[in-house]
């Protein structure tokens, strides 16, 4: 609501000024969908979405963030300095940018839930494989209750997260309201992804703390899922709000 990136009409063009931060593929993406303030502060209908192509004068990439994980996908600033774009590049209608962004959140949260689920599955599968190969006291460590119980917990969390994610996806595909279900899937899947990848590092022991094995990457990548597309705390707010409507 207090967006500082602005777009001012100039004839049949708009002039964009400001900076967008924490943008996925902010340096490498060829096309950007940019929401800028075209009205008054705190006005939910004072924001408009624009499609801006890379190479447009006044559109440049800024700082690339040095992230803990998800390093194969850069996160960077996008800077607009008197960037002129034609009115035909308005996405939807003027003033609908905020409303449009709210409408796509459900689908985005299901995507993050799916991403978190994939990370958790990768960490779990690597742990099962390693626990069968690593021997201590004449037997694979998978035979020890301390390890097998940990793997059992991991498997159960993953199964529950997948069911939540598939339920939200089913409702989305069916064109039904899925705000609560998407938030639940995103919240739970992202949190258990961190838990499962943490346990995976523990199963690997000292090797889990090295880059010679994949679980340290799962561990680093999983954390972003609890932040992107709305933090876990935001998901709780959404879930509670929807529950109170019922």
């Amino acid at each position: 609501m207090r967006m500082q990136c602005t777009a001012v009409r100039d004839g049949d063009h708009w002039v964009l000024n400001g900076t967008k931060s924490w943008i996925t593929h902010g340096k490498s993406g060829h096309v950007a969908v940019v929401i800028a303030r075209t009205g008054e502060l705190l006005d939910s209908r004072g924001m408009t979405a624009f499609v801006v192509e890379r190479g447009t004068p006044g559109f440049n990439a800024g700082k690339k963030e040095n992230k803990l994980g998800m390093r194969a996908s850069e996160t960077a600033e996008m800077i607009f300095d008197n960037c002129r774009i034609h009115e035909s590049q308005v996405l939807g209608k003027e003033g609908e940018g905020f409303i449009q962004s709210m409408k796509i959140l459900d689908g985005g949260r299901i995507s993050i839930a799916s991403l978190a689920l994939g990370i958790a599955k990768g960490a779990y599968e690597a742990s099962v494989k390693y626990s069968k190969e690593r021997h201590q006291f004449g037997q694979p460590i998978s035979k020890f209750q301390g390890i097998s119980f940990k793997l059992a917990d991991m498997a159960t969390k993953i199964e529950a997260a997948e069911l939540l994610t598939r339920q939200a996806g089913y409702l989305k595909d069916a064109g039904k309201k899925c705000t609560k279900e998407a938030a639940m899937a995103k919240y739970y899947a992202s949190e258990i992804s961190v838990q499962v990848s943490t346990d995976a590092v523990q199963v690997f022991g000292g090797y889990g703390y090295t880059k010679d094995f994949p679980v340290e990457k799962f561990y680093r990548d999983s954390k972003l899922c609890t932040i992107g597309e709305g933090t876990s705390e935001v998901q709780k707010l959404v879930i509670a709000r929807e529950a109170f409507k019922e």
Side-chain angles (χ1 to χ4, degrees), residues 26-45:
K27 291 175 75 76
S28 62
H30 296 297
V31 178
V33 175
V34 182
I35 298 177
R37 184 163 56 82
T38 53
E40 298 299 320
L41 285 171
L42 304 180
D43 181 4
S44 63
R45 292 189 175 275

Side-chain angles (χ1 to χ4, degrees), residues 17 30 44 50 57 67 78 85 97 150 170 181 192 198 204-205 207 211 227 232 237 241:
N17 279 288
H30 296 297
S44 63
F50 301 89
K67 299 182 298 182
M78 295 193 305
I85 56 175
K150 195 177 293 292
Y170 166 77
E181 291 78 7
I192 69 99
T198 299
F204 275 73
Y207 289 118
K211 293 185 182 296
I227 299 170
S232 292
L237 287 173
R241 182 188 66 204

Side-chain angles (χ1 to χ4, degrees), residues 131-207:
S131 70
K132 292 178 179 178
E133 296 171 349
R134 174 67 167 164
H135 283 65
Q136 286 285 359
F137 305 105
Q139 60 181 333
I141 62 173
S142 59
K143 297 291 186 180
F144 295 111
Q145 194 174 82
I147 298 297
S148 63
F149 277 17
K150 195 177 293 292
L151 293 170
D153 284 339
M154 294 161 75
T156 303
K157 291 172 181 176
I158 288 171
E159 192 76 11
E162 181 161 4
L163 289 171
L164 279 170
T165 304
R166 288 186 178 276
Q167 178 192 31
Y170 166 77
L171 291 173
K172 178 70 174 175
D173 287 345
K176 298 180 180 180
K177 181 176 173 59
C178 61
T179 300
K180 182 181 72 174
E181 291 78 7
M184 284 180 168
K186 194 272 185 190
Y187 167 54
Y188 187 74
S190 64
E191 290 292 335
I192 69 99
S193 184
V194 173
Q195 295 167 18
V196 168
S197 58
T198 299
D199 284 344
V201 172
Q202 200 71 14
V203 169
F204 275 73
Y207 289 118

Side-chain angles (χ1 to χ4, degrees), residues 3-25:
M3 187 177 294
Q4 298 301 307
C5 184
T6 62
V8 177
R9 182 181 282 279
D10 181 16
D12 58 357
H13 284 73
W14 289 86
V15 181
L16 273 64
N17 279 288
T19 301
K20 291 291 184 179
S21 302
W22 302 101
I23 307 302
T24 302
H25 305 311

